[in-house]
Amino acid sequence: MDLQLSGRVAVVTGASKGIGLAVTRTLLEEGVRVVATSRRSSPALEALARADLLHVPADLMDPDAPGMVVARAAEAFGGLDILVNNAGGPPPGVTLPRGSFLDATDAEWRAMFEFNLFSAVRAVRAALPLMLERGGGAIVNVSSGNARQPSPINVDYGAAKAGMNNLTKVLSEEFGPKGVRVNTVSPGPVRTAWWTDEGGVADMIAAQAGTDRDSVMDRVAPEMMNLTTGRLADPQEVADVVALLVSPRSANTTGAEFVVDSGFLKAV
């Protein structure tokens, strides 16, 4: 399927690994010029190097960083058509999952919201004028199943992502009539560094369950979370949904949430 994206300009946050890397790769393959941002690059991102890819190192916890990244996109490629707010998860110095709601301090709550919600707010604020100049655009906010499935071990993270879901709806209502579509993609558990890195969630669960990280990801975690498909999602499976949503093929889809969660959410 031709997604009709060739020549468009995108900003992808959290682009050095996981879902963001998969989104960056997919958009490049569709002919999009991509500004990829992350605190630092990675060998996998560097392997994608070409004229249509610009990596802008930035710490999105800095209030000025999202606007700077968007400005670099306009400077390098002449405008902006697509924004994928993918950066998220535990900010530096914060570890998830927690043992309880009581384990999260005020400082950790603030950091979680800065990274998972306010960085997206600032990126959207910077991107909208550029999109409106071009007659429209597409924004995808990457949320989480925890936005709708409360969890005491990820309470501040889930609250921030619930705010992102609400933000998506508000933006779609205000700017949809002006040609800017805004949608949410909500992954469940995905085989990203949060799970796979040494000391990550898989290792934490493995230590508690008396097993190894591969067994956790292949069997223990899917059973624990009652995943219908029996497995964690691959980042590419999320990226494919994002690519379709930013495409003109989805021209009449806005204010929607698309779940890629292995059947994690059970409620209607």
Side-chain angles (χ1 to χ4, degrees), residues 24-151:
T24 297
R25 182 189 304 112
T26 302
L27 294 182
L28 287 170
E29 290 171 352
E30 293 295 329
V32 178
R33 293 172 288 173
V34 180
V35 171
T37 187
S38 55
R39 289 186 182 88
R40 59 191 66 85
S41 189
S42 66
L45 182 59
E46 290 167 3
L48 300 177
R50 64 194 73 182
D52 286 343
L53 173 63
L54 172 65
H55 177 248
V56 177
D59 179 359
L60 297 179
M61 299 282 284
D62 177 352
D64 294 328
M68 179 273 292
V69 173
V70 169
R72 287 292 303 278
E75 176 186 315
F77 297 129
L80 185 66
D81 305 290
I82 296 164
L83 171 63
V84 181
N85 282 311
N86 165 73
V94 176
T95 300
L96 294 179
R98 303 184 187 283
S100 163
F101 161 80
L102 296 173
D103 292 341
T105 66
D106 279 4
E108 288 170 328
W109 273 87
R110 282 192 291 269
M112 191 68 72
F113 270 69
E114 281 287 344
F115 190 39
N116 287 277
L117 181 59
F118 298 156
S119 68
V121 168
R122 293 165 182 143
V124 171
R125 186 184 293 132
L128 279 170
L130 295 175
M131 292 181 176
L132 294 173
E133 283 178 9
R134 291 162 87 96
I139 299 171
V140 171
N141 294 322
V142 178
S143 183
S144 168
N146 281 135
R148 292 200 285 124
Q149 181 60 52
S151 168

Side-chain angles (χ1 to χ4, degrees), residues 135-221:
I139 299 171
V140 171
N141 294 322
V142 178
S143 183
S144 168
N146 281 135
R148 292 200 285 124
Q149 181 60 52
S151 168
I153 63 174
N154 295 321
V155 58
D156 46 346
Y157 174 73
K161 290 302 190 180
M164 179 170 274
N165 287 16
N166 186 282
L167 173 68
T168 297
K169 283 288 190 181
V170 171
L171 292 171
S172 70
E173 282 296 300
E174 181 174 358
F175 295 100
K178 299 176 183 179
V180 179
R181 297 183 300 105
V182 191
N183 292 290
T184 299
V185 173
S186 291
V190 181
R191 280 183 177 262
T192 61
W194 190 26
W195 282 87
T196 61
D197 276 359
E198 185 174 350
V201 178
D203 280 349
M204 294 172 67
I205 296 174
Q208 295 168 358
T211 185
D212 59 85
R213 68 165 67 179
D214 289 336
S215 296
V216 167
M217 289 185 284
D218 293 341
R219 178 182 56 81
V220 176

